[in-house]
Amino acid sequence: MASVIEQCQVAPPPGSAAELTLPLTYFDQLWLAIHRMRRILFYKLPISKPDFIQNIIPALKDSLSLALKHYTPLAGNVACPLDSSGYPELRYVTDDFVAVTFSETDMDFNYLIGDHPRDAKDFYHFVPQLAEPKPAPGVQLAPVLAIQVTLFPNLGITIGFTNHHAAGDGATIVGFIRAWALLHKFGGHEQFLANEFIPFYDRSVIKDPHEQGKSIWEEMKKHNLDMRDIVTPSDKVRGTFTITRDDIGKLKNLILSRRPSLTHVTSFIVTCAYVWTCLIKSEDTIGEEIDENVMEFFGCAADCRARFNPPLPPSYFGNCLVGYVARIRHADLGRKEGFTIAVELIRESIQKRMNDEEWILNGSWFKQFSNIGWNRCLSVAGSPKLDLYATDFSWGRPAKLEFVSLDSGNGISMSLSKSKDFDGDLEVGLSLSKTRMNAFAAIFTHGLSFL
């Protein structure tokens, strides 16, 4: 458990941020009905409670306030219309704030930062819950962001983030977190913020010639949107698996030996394909009876800022993701050639559309989601391109990154990030039943040992 030291409200410095309203684009609206995103950064920092209260808390609040000066919408709310006449938007007004909790715990820090299976419910003590939506004229206002900082006395600190995905994708949230860390590390001196951490807010750069915004909003309204942040701690276990640069090279060579004509087989593709096939085999190993003809799905999202003409700035604030989907019969994925087939399918789903701007603009990427069996889908959270392990608040690199939101939703979600230790290695996070996790771990390790 974590006991509260202080609860506070952190806003941009007075007079530093103008009120701002951003319409939700079709990229944003998709996430209105999705669970909130939860991440935790763990830092080894052997400090006492008095030191935490006197030095860490004030500096974190001051630097967070400065970060919100640049990322003002994160202090605001998603404004969702109460009737059918309006459209949702992101809204920041004076006196909006981010709710921040400072707490302490006596839980085992070293246990939590391990790679071995750990009880998923233990991590919910270190991520906050967003406040209840509140009414305003014609709309319901749902908070965008909440933060919790927890002290493990004389061992370390965690910073937990809960955010509404409709406000921004991973690139946006990671940009904010890293901007906050830089401002904290350099004592609030804003000249240390590189341009990549200064958000670009102009929504007119998102072209919508086919009125996707209108059609997707109509679709979202059918879901009876619940703007509450509902937290349901899981009875699963969390495990972390590393695929080394050497492993990735061997997996690529294996594919090259079997399919010499395949090009552009990336580290992302072979890693996801390997995890997907190991998961299917683990289900069969523990005796789950699955119809061999049932369809298995793999889904991932890619940043398409660079795929517009002209390209969007990398610092564009909001969501700019399109989804890619691969599908295959259960029996085909579980057989000996399953890994090779998975690589081909994932590669094809990405290569076929990665530079197709019209496919993005006409909504074809969105329409494919209606034919997915989500309870048979492996999806990907995070990206090695978004390096949260580079987030240094002056305490060094994080000792661990956990995507708590892997527990949510149907199907299985895997997190994917750069390794905390070695350049070129990738770190995979999973949340599974204990039996399934043990089976997966054995298959995962055994397969790599024979490369």
Side-chain angles (χ1 to χ4, degrees), residues 233-244:
S234 169
D235 59 359
K236 299 175 183 177
V237 296
R238 306 179 63 82
T240 305
F241 302 86
T242 297
I243 295 187
T244 67

Side-chain angles (χ1 to χ4, degrees), residues 16-295:
S16 68
E19 295 190 346
L20 182 64
T21 298
L22 298 174
L24 293 194
T25 72
Y26 50 88
F27 289 120
D28 303 315
Q29 292 172 7
L30 287 173
W31 301 100
L32 284 168
I34 305 296
H35 59 79
R36 307 304 180 252
M37 304 304 294
R38 308 182 198 279
R39 303 170 177 87
I40 308 175
L41 291 171
F42 291 78
Y43 291 90
K44 291 183 178 180
L45 188 65
I47 60 169
S48 65
K49 182 177 179 180
D51 192 9
F52 180 69
I53 293 173
Q54 294 168 18
N55 299 313
I56 300 296
I57 290 179
L60 283 176
K61 289 195 288 190
D62 289 346
S63 54
L64 174 58
S65 177
L66 286 174
L68 292 172
K69 169 184 170 182
H70 298 281
Y71 288 82
T72 51
L74 296 182
N77 296 275
V78 175
C80 199
L82 295 175
D83 57 38
S84 59
S85 62
Y87 285 88
E89 59 189 22
L90 197 55
R91 183 185 299 177
Y92 167 78
V93 298
T94 303
D95 297 330
D96 278 346
F97 58 84
V98 172
V100 183
T101 301
F102 294 94
S103 59
E104 66 173 324
T105 185
D106 60 1
M107 290 186 68
D108 188 338
F109 183 84
N110 292 318
Y111 162 79
L112 291 169
I113 65 172
D115 291 343
H116 60 281
R118 294 141 294 147
D119 288 341
K121 64 179 181 295
D122 289 341
F123 293 85
Y124 286 83
H125 301 300
F126 312 113
V127 284
Q129 186 172 4
L130 293 173
E132 288 285 310
K134 56 188 178 183
V139 298
Q140 193 175 40
L141 299 175
V144 168
L145 175 69
I147 295 171
Q148 179 177 335
V149 184
T150 305
L151 170 69
F152 294 70
N154 303 309
L155 289 170
I157 286 175
T158 62
I159 305 183
F161 303 86
T162 299
N163 70 276
H164 200 310
H165 206 316
D169 56 21
T172 292
I173 300 303
V174 170
F176 156 72
I177 294 172
R178 295 201 44 195
W180 178 22
L182 283 169
L183 288 166
H184 182 274
K185 182 176 182 177
F186 293 109
H189 294 291
E190 295 176 80
Q191 66 265 31
F192 289 100
L193 282 187
N195 286 337
E196 64 180 303
F197 299 123
I198 304 299
F200 179 86
Y201 287 116
D202 184 0
R203 291 287 166 100
S204 69
V205 297
I206 300 291
K207 295 179 287 186
D208 190 10
H210 299 280
E211 296 190 321
Q212 281 197 76
K214 182 178 180 179
S215 59
I216 290 178
W217 174 231
E218 290 300 318
E219 187 65 29
M220 288 297 103
K221 288 191 291 187
K222 297 176 184 177
H223 290 273
N224 190 24
L225 293 174
D226 189 343
M227 300 300 287
R228 295 175 300 161
D229 178 18
I230 300 172
V231 180
T232 52
S234 169
D235 59 359
K236 299 175 183 177
V237 296
R238 306 179 63 82
T240 305
F241 302 86
T242 297
I243 295 187
T244 67
R245 177 189 291 192
D246 186 49
D247 293 331
I248 291 169
K250 290 177 180 178
L251 288 170
K252 289 181 179 179
N253 288 336
L254 177 62
I255 291 299
L256 187 61
S257 68
R258 292 178 176 176
R259 300 289 191 274
S261 61
L262 280 189
T263 59
H264 299 100
V265 176
T266 65
S267 300
F268 174 87
I269 290 172
V270 295
T271 299
C272 292
Y274 185 68
V275 171
W276 194 17
T277 51
C278 288
L279 281 167
I280 295 300
K281 291 174 183 176
S282 71
E283 190 174 37
D284 295 336
T285 298
I286 63 176
E288 295 285 342
E289 294 186 7
I290 307 298
D291 183 342
E292 65 177 16
N293 292 314
V294 74
M295 295 301 294

Side-chain angles (χ1 to χ4, degrees), residues 264-395:
H264 299 100
V265 176
T266 65
S267 300
F268 174 87
I269 290 172
V270 295
T271 299
C272 292
Y274 185 68
V275 171
W276 194 17
T277 51
C278 288
L279 281 167
I280 295 300
K281 291 174 183 176
S282 71
E283 190 174 37
D284 295 336
T285 298
I286 63 176
E288 295 285 342
E289 294 186 7
I290 307 298
D291 183 342
E292 65 177 16
N293 292 314
V294 74
M295 295 301 294
E296 304 287 354
F297 299 86
F298 171 84
C300 65
D303 186 340
C304 60
R305 286 168 172 80
R307 294 174 190 175
F308 282 94
N309 185 21
L312 274 59
S315 61
Y316 169 81
F317 184 101
N319 289 280
C320 195
L321 301 173
V322 292
Y324 300 104
V325 177
R327 62 193 74 204
I328 186 176
R329 283 194 327 138
H330 178 86
D332 293 332
L333 196 57
R335 58 190 175 95
K336 186 177 180 180
E337 286 285 301
F339 168 66
T340 305
I341 296 170
V343 167
E344 290 179 306
L345 287 171
I346 295 173
R347 174 191 169 278
E348 181 186 7
S349 68
I350 295 173
Q351 290 289 324
K352 185 177 179 181
R353 300 296 187 185
M354 65 181 301
N355 294 312
D356 189 344
E357 184 182 18
E358 181 57 27
W359 180 75
I360 297 172
L361 293 175
N362 66 23
S364 296
W365 59 280
F366 170 66
K367 294 168 186 172
Q368 66 185 339
F369 296 144
S370 62
N371 297 318
I372 292 178
W374 291 106
N375 63 327
R376 303 300 308 173
C377 183
L378 170 65
S379 58
V380 182
S383 167
K385 295 180 180 179
L386 305 175
D387 189 9
L388 274 172
Y389 278 118
T391 307
D392 182 2
F393 282 84
S394 75
W395 313 321

Side-chain angles (χ1 to χ4, degrees), residues 2-16:
S3 56
V4 174
I5 295 174
E6 178 185 348
Q7 290 180 315
C8 60
Q9 300 170 350
V10 178
S16 68

